[in-house]
Amino acid sequence: MKFKKLALTLLSTVTLAACGAATSTSNSGATNTAGNETFNVGGNFGLSGAFSAYGTAINDGAALAFKEINEDGGVLGKDVNYISVDNKSDATESTTQTARLIDEENISVLVGSDTTGSTEAQIQTATDASVPIVAPAATGDSLTLDSSGNVLDYVFRVPFQDAFQGSVLAEFANQEGYETAAIIQDNSSDYGQNLAAEFDDIFEGEVVGTESYVSGDTDFNSILNNIASKNPDVIFIAGYYTEGGSIVKQAREMGIESAILAPDGFGAEEFVELAGAENVNNFYYTAHYTTGEGATDKTTAFVEAFEAEYGSTPNMFAALGYDAAYLVADAAGRAGEDDRQAITDALAETTDFEGVTGTFSFDENHNPVKTAYIIEMANGEEVGSSAVSPEDVAN
């Protein structure tokens, strides 16, 4: 894979405010969605709690999309009734809220959740009711498969998988000529462990140290001292911004100048707030879309609409939520009826769907085949981006 030096394209991300979605009281306990006066879509996200930075952004993007869809005539001749709920960034609450959306709101489709754990928690409940799930941001490799490796009929996702972004970051490190690397992984999540394993497998240089932490840790001086003694060319932090911000801050304040790579879980303004903008230099992370070089007219229109609606600039999680909503509308339109199974079948047949995060088709496992972006940051702001396709990694 050939990487060009990143072209400069200035863009800063901002925090997104939660959008209050409408509630409804329709057909409690019913299963015939065709009888609904509106096209009912549930949104299940962490609008509060540890991962609210992801959930609120996704919800805002989805709400904007459904507003536009209604202004354009709705879905199947019906207005979209988008009912979003707060799972409080908790897996158990995610299951509870999914049941409520199905039993009380009689939804046709479920959009959500944000993290892989919260998304997995709702799968059985939705599957039992034959409700298709469109996951806007869950990247766990096995999300769409059961324990035997068989595809889950009702689960689809919009983002690329962890294995892909781990490979992208490792290949980037290879092309940049980094000879030594250290890995800091979140040992309390599959996200962190799987990303670290993929990076370790693909990186062609020497991994001189592997350190770990668990969710909620705040003091990383011990593991950073171990890494500083190895003086690696690059550090890969496999985890979420919630701890990653502090890791970057403490590393830079300790005098560690190594390049730092991170996954999409760092794509929130809260990361910069935790790390301190002055510490976010020589830093690269994977993203699902870019507003810089390679941005499409669709992306530009989305950014303008989002800024007009919310007064803030959308991050990639808002873009993923927006695409998830339009994917739902597209599938329902192709299905030709407000029927859960028909919509599920249409989702499985999705090809060349054009979204703001790229054009993609679903593979046989309901995963999108799409491009990733490496985003470069300096002084806490995006200064460059480079597109990486699946073919680039394969080659």
Side-chain angles (χ1 to χ4, degrees), residues 64-65 68-69 72 289-292 294-307 314 318-320 322-327 330 352-360 370 373:
L64 172 62
E68 293 176 349
I69 290 165
D72 198 37
Y289 96 132
T290 179
T291 56
T296 65
D297 291 342
K298 183 178 284 289
T299 301
T300 301
F302 160 66
V303 172
E304 291 175 354
F306 192 95
E307 290 176 339
L320 288 166
Y322 187 84
D323 277 358
Y326 268 103
L327 176 62
D330 175 74
D352 299 324
F353 173 79
E354 185 179 354
V356 298
T357 62
T359 299
F360 65 84
K370 66 191 303 187
Y373 297 89

Side-chain angles (χ1 to χ4, degrees), residues 141-315:
D141 291 331
S142 61
L143 179 77
T144 64
L145 305 175
D146 65 18
S147 58
S148 299
N150 300 311
V151 66
L152 293 167
D153 292 338
Y154 296 97
V155 183
F156 304 83
R157 78 167 109 210
V158 174
F160 47 68
Q161 296 166 262
D162 287 338
F164 178 54
Q165 65 173 324
S167 297
V168 165
L169 289 165
E171 288 287 7
F172 175 77
N174 294 336
Q175 293 298 322
E176 289 294 299
Y178 300 135
E179 296 181 355
T180 57
I183 298 173
I184 304 176
Q185 68 183 49
D186 178 358
N187 248 9
S188 60
S189 71
D190 290 340
Y191 180 72
Q193 294 179 58
N194 292 340
L195 282 164
E198 189 70 21
F199 182 89
D200 194 6
D201 184 54
I202 301 298
F203 181 59
E204 295 174 355
E206 180 185 3
V207 175
V208 295
T210 298
E211 302 288 337
S212 63
Y213 65 91
V214 296
S215 177
D217 283 354
T218 57
D219 184 353
F220 303 97
N221 283 286
S222 177
I223 64 175
L224 288 171
N225 277 322
N226 293 339
I227 287 174
S229 68
K230 307 290 186 180
N231 192 29
D233 296 329
V234 63
I235 299 170
F236 176 43
I237 305 174
Y240 296 106
Y241 79 88
T242 44
E243 290 77 32
S246 297
I247 292 173
V248 171
K249 177 181 176 65
Q250 292 171 31
R252 294 309 191 213
E253 291 178 346
M254 189 179 291
I256 296 175
E257 298 180 353
S258 308
I260 297 177
L261 308 182
D264 65 331
F266 282 61
E269 181 64 16
E270 286 80 355
F271 160 66
V272 177
E273 294 173 359
L274 287 170
E278 70 279 6
N279 295 315
V280 186
N281 289 292
N282 198 14
F283 178 86
Y284 307 84
Y285 73 97
T286 46
H288 298 269
Y289 96 132
T290 179
T291 56
E293 183 180 0
T296 65
D297 291 342
K298 183 178 284 289
T299 301
T300 301
F302 160 66
V303 172
E304 291 175 354
F306 192 95
E307 290 176 339
E309 183 73 13
Y310 299 110
S312 58
T313 303
N315 65 15

Side-chain angles (χ1 to χ4, degrees), residues 65-75 78-82:
F66 286 128
K67 177 184 177 182
E68 293 176 349
I69 290 165
N70 280 339
E71 291 172 348
D72 198 37
V75 173
K78 302 178 179 182
D79 284 340
V80 178
N81 181 23
Y82 177 55

